[in-house]
Amino acid sequence: MKHRLQFAGKKLIRMALLLLGVSLAAFLLVNASPLDPLQTNVGQAALGSMSQEQIENLKAYWGTDTPPVQRYLSWLGGILQGDMGTSLLYRQPVAQVIGQRLASSFWLMAFAWVLSGILGLLLGMAAGMNRGKWPDKLIRGYCLTISSTPVFWLALLLLIIFSVWLGIFPIGLSVPIGMESGSITFADRIQHAVLPALTLSITGVANIALHTREKMIDILDSDYILFARARGESNRSILWRHCLRNVALPAITLQFASISEIIGGSVLVEQVFSYPGLGQAAVTAGLGSDLPLLLGITVVTAAMVFGGNLAADLLYGAVDPKIRKGASRK
């Protein structure tokens, strides 16, 4: 128990330091951006027709008249007090904007994450059980092709086929256009989320499937599987009693570590499908130089990624105590 607490405590401290570093890196990148917030959001023509006093007020609103160090320390102080600031574009609290967008993206990413993990595990086991045969070659070819395919290209392909040509799913957005919020059903939201979630699921299968395949081959070549075959156990019994237990936990831990890929892919997928989620808000904040919103989204998504990595490390530690005890001594 002591080693487990030490292991988790050190991981949490490292996670806090990483979040601080990520926020600082994001702030420096935005501050070094050649985009002028005033020209980007107001326009050069509108600025030319304003008085100097109006321009100074706009600079104060966007924070361009404040030294960068002071702006970052002010933002960091607010974060420590639970205040993420106010979005300059949406003119709402950053926490409120993130909460609204995250509610749309969370179920999308969660569905894609779970589906990709299940499909990857099943495909990997099927490939390992049929090593060298046509199912193995087919699954490996699929995984290698998908792993080298850009997610935005796949999203565009699915959009053209299922929305433009076949007309099965909507072209974009998260709800039907022109409908009142009270008349929108859960089925409408599901229909709009199918293609984005399917895109993320397809791209997330490859790593889990290939890893599970290699683990499956190692298990099938082990001595205890040879002994099980000698006792007359069927392939089905070997698969469910011996193989599944040994490949499931490594696949689950790898799936937790792949949360960053799901989040990164959702940014591009939401842009293609015009899905109003957290990824689209991040792009809007970056192009509009909305520093409070961009920093808030960066910290929240980084916390989700680091949380997934922490969960993967804890699972590895639970499976193999040597990993936990070795990490606690460092």
Side-chain angles (χ1 to χ4, degrees), residues 78-310:
I79 285 289
L80 296 177
Q81 297 176 6
D83 181 15
M84 303 181 74
T86 303
S87 172
L88 302 175
L89 293 175
Y90 296 94
R91 300 195 178 186
Q92 295 177 354
V94 170
Q96 181 179 345
V97 176
I98 292 178
Q100 294 172 350
R101 295 305 184 100
L102 186 58
S104 299
S105 293
F106 177 77
W107 296 112
L108 184 70
M109 292 186 292
F111 176 80
W113 182 73
V114 172
L115 183 60
S116 64
I118 294 175
L119 290 177
L121 178 64
L122 295 178
L123 289 176
M125 293 180 65
M129 289 287 291
N130 297 277
R131 177 177 44 174
K133 300 179 181 179
W134 69 264
D136 179 31
K137 296 178 180 179
L138 184 63
I139 293 173
R140 276 192 300 161
Y142 164 78
C143 292
L144 294 175
T145 302
I146 288 298
S147 61
S148 59
T149 302
V151 63
F152 70 89
W153 185 87
L154 181 61
L156 288 172
L157 182 63
L158 294 179
L159 183 66
I160 292 173
I161 295 175
F162 293 101
S163 297
V164 178
W165 291 351
L166 301 179
I168 300 175
F169 296 105
I171 293 180
L173 303 178
S174 62
V175 294
I177 300 176
M179 291 183 63
E180 297 181 357
S181 58
S183 59
I184 297 174
T185 63
F186 181 72
D188 292 330
R189 298 183 183 274
I190 291 295
Q191 188 180 19
H192 281 74
V194 167
L195 280 185
L198 184 62
T199 304
L200 291 175
S201 301
I202 291 174
T203 56
V205 164
N207 289 337
I208 303 296
L210 292 175
H211 178 273
T212 302
R213 175 188 177 273
E214 295 301 321
K215 184 68 176 177
M216 193 75 178
I217 292 174
D218 292 339
I219 293 172
L220 292 175
D221 290 339
S222 62
D223 293 335
Y224 66 88
I225 295 296
L226 181 62
F227 179 70
R229 293 187 187 278
R231 288 190 307 176
E233 288 193 36
S234 63
N235 289 334
R236 181 176 180 181
S237 175
I238 291 174
L239 176 65
W240 294 109
R241 292 185 58 187
H242 303 288
C243 297
L244 182 61
R245 295 178 181 180
N246 287 280
V247 301
L249 273 177
I252 291 174
T253 51
L254 185 64
Q255 182 70 356
F256 272 102
S258 68
I259 291 179
S260 60
E261 298 177 7
I262 293 290
I263 295 176
S266 68
V267 175
L268 298 175
V269 170
E270 289 178 5
Q271 285 295 110
V272 173
F273 290 99
S274 301
Y275 196 87
L278 199 62
Q280 191 182 64
V283 174
T284 303
L287 296 177
S289 300
D290 190 345
L291 185 59
L293 179 58
L294 185 60
L295 288 178
I297 293 175
T298 301
V299 170
V300 169
T301 53
M304 294 170 61
V305 171
F306 296 152
N309 292 333
L310 176 62

Side-chain angles (χ1 to χ4, degrees), residues 51-101:
S51 64
Q52 188 62 33
E53 181 180 359
Q54 290 175 320
I55 294 177
E56 293 298 328
N57 290 335
L58 282 175
K59 288 182 178 180
Y61 176 75
W62 287 94
T64 56
D65 61 343
T66 306
V69 176
Q70 183 178 344
R71 275 191 290 164
Y72 179 74
L73 293 178
S74 176
W75 174 84
L76 185 61
I79 285 289
L80 296 177
Q81 297 176 6
D83 181 15
M84 303 181 74
T86 303
S87 172
L88 302 175
L89 293 175
Y90 296 94
R91 300 195 178 186
Q92 295 177 354
V94 170
Q96 181 179 345
V97 176
I98 292 178
Q100 294 172 350
R101 295 305 184 100

